[in-house]
Amino acid sequence: MGEGKQGMMVVESSKGFVPPTQNPIAIVQAKFKDLENGFRTWLSKQSLPVEAAVVTATSAIQGAAIGAFMGTLTNDVSNSFPTPPPEAGLSPQAMATLKQAQALSGGPLIQARNFAVMTGVNAGISCIMKRVRGKEDVQSSMVAAFGSGAMFSLVSGMGGPNQAANVITSGLFFALVQGGLFQLGQKFSKPPVEDALYTKTRSMLAHLGLQNYENNFKRGLLTDSTLPLLTDSALRDVKIPPGPRLLILDHVQRDPELHDRRGKL
């Protein structure tokens, strides 16, 4: 009871406390993360057609922006590949090679279209596969990549006389590349088991601009499950200064989720 009262007194006294200068980049990142999480929560409650349409549209817009930027870098290159006149008499293989070069080095509008199709189709199929199969794995990733590669082949005009074969070849190539990248990402991006215990803590500290004290929490084994129970003495034991202690305790007191969890303990 003594520690609880002391913690409450510290929280109340923090109302007049002037927080130290916080990292503006960290604050913006934390707010953007909260906004992203809120959007994903809303999206997960929508029907499959709505979710797939929104995901496809937003991803296509992002892809178009990236493609337009890359198109500005390759615009001059595309001018060096003029379309030959019909009387040039080029073989089908030569014409296919020329079309591939033009597709890969087109201007901003062409590249924006190509990237919009690739990213939009990939994201849309991934969304559907994840909702239907209930998981996101290498199979779903490869199916989405096959669809995006096939559509890219169609809209870009790449390939030889046999367009159907080229669509399948492009789709398989995209699928193999995406599958390999997915496996590598799974291998190297798995966070340590220890870090998984401090997800909420890390988000709280980033929101407050106190990321430097994450190791203090880890040294004291103050995991996410202990956040509702934090007291001034517990924070002092892990050598967190008075000012940051006030901010942390005030945040815990004001956070509805943590406040509710404390009431259930």
Side-chain angles (χ1 to χ4, degrees):
M1 289 295 294
E3 289 184 355
K5 291 182 178 179
Q6 184 179 6
M8 290 295 293
M9 293 176 62
V10 173
V11 171
E12 292 176 358
S13 64
S14 67
K15 294 180 181 179
F17 178 77
V18 179
T21 303
Q22 299 180 1
N23 186 349
I25 297 179
I27 295 176
V28 172
Q29 289 177 338
K31 291 183 178 180
F32 179 80
K33 191 68 176 179
D34 293 340
L35 182 63
E36 182 182 13
N37 291 336
F39 175 74
R40 288 183 176 179
T41 301
W42 171 83
L43 195 60
S44 64
K45 298 178 181 178
Q46 307 305 311
S47 63
L48 177 57
V50 172
E51 182 182 7
V54 172
V55 170
T56 300
T58 54
S59 298
I61 292 173
Q62 294 174 358
I66 296 174
F69 173 74
M70 294 187 63
T72 60
L73 303 179
T74 61
N75 192 29
D76 294 336
V77 179
S78 63
N79 294 331
S80 63
F81 298 105
T83 302
E87 60 271 13
L90 295 179
S91 65
Q93 291 78 11
M95 286 297 298
T97 302
L98 181 61
K99 287 183 178 181
Q100 290 178 355
Q102 290 174 332
L104 295 174
S105 60
L109 292 179
I110 294 177
Q111 294 290 30
R113 177 201 63 189
N114 294 345
F115 274 78
V117 170
M118 282 193 297
T119 56
V121 172
N122 191 299
I125 296 178
S126 295
C127 174
I128 295 173
M129 293 291 291
K130 183 178 180 180
R131 179 73 78 90
V132 172
R133 303 181 70 230
K135 59 181 179 179
E136 185 176 4
D137 54 13
V138 65
Q139 287 85 359
S140 298
S141 179
M142 292 181 69
V143 170
F146 179 88
S148 64
M151 288 301 300
F152 170 76
S153 176
L154 288 174
V155 301
S156 65
M158 291 180 60
N162 192 340
Q163 189 176 43
N166 186 70
V167 167
I168 296 176
T169 302
S170 299
L172 290 175
F173 175 76
F174 274 60
L176 290 175
V177 172
Q178 182 71 13
L181 293 175
F182 185 91
Q183 293 288 61
L184 287 176
Q186 289 290 98
K187 181 177 180 180
F188 293 105
S189 65
K190 288 183 178 179
V193 177
E194 178 187 351
D195 287 348
L197 301 175
Y198 298 92
T199 303
K200 183 72 175 179
T201 301
R202 190 178 301 107
S203 176
M204 175 189 70
L205 294 176
H207 179 75
L208 297 174
L210 303 175
Q211 301 93 319
N212 294 337
Y213 297 105
E214 181 178 340
N215 289 332
N216 297 67
F217 275 79
K218 291 181 177 180
R219 283 195 295 268
L221 299 180
L222 298 177
T223 62
D224 291 347
S225 60
T226 68
L227 288 181
L229 305 174
L230 284 181
T231 62
D232 183 68
S233 60
L235 295 174
R236 186 170 59 248
D237 288 343
V238 295
K239 303 187 183 306
I240 296 180
R245 292 204 305 266
L246 293 171
L247 293 175
I248 293 170
L249 291 172
D250 183 60
H251 177 86
V252 171
Q253 180 67 19
R254 295 174 183 271
D255 190 299
E257 179 182 351
L258 296 177
H259 186 73
D260 293 342
R261 285 171 55 188
R262 181 166 187 166
K264 296 178 182 178
L265 295 176

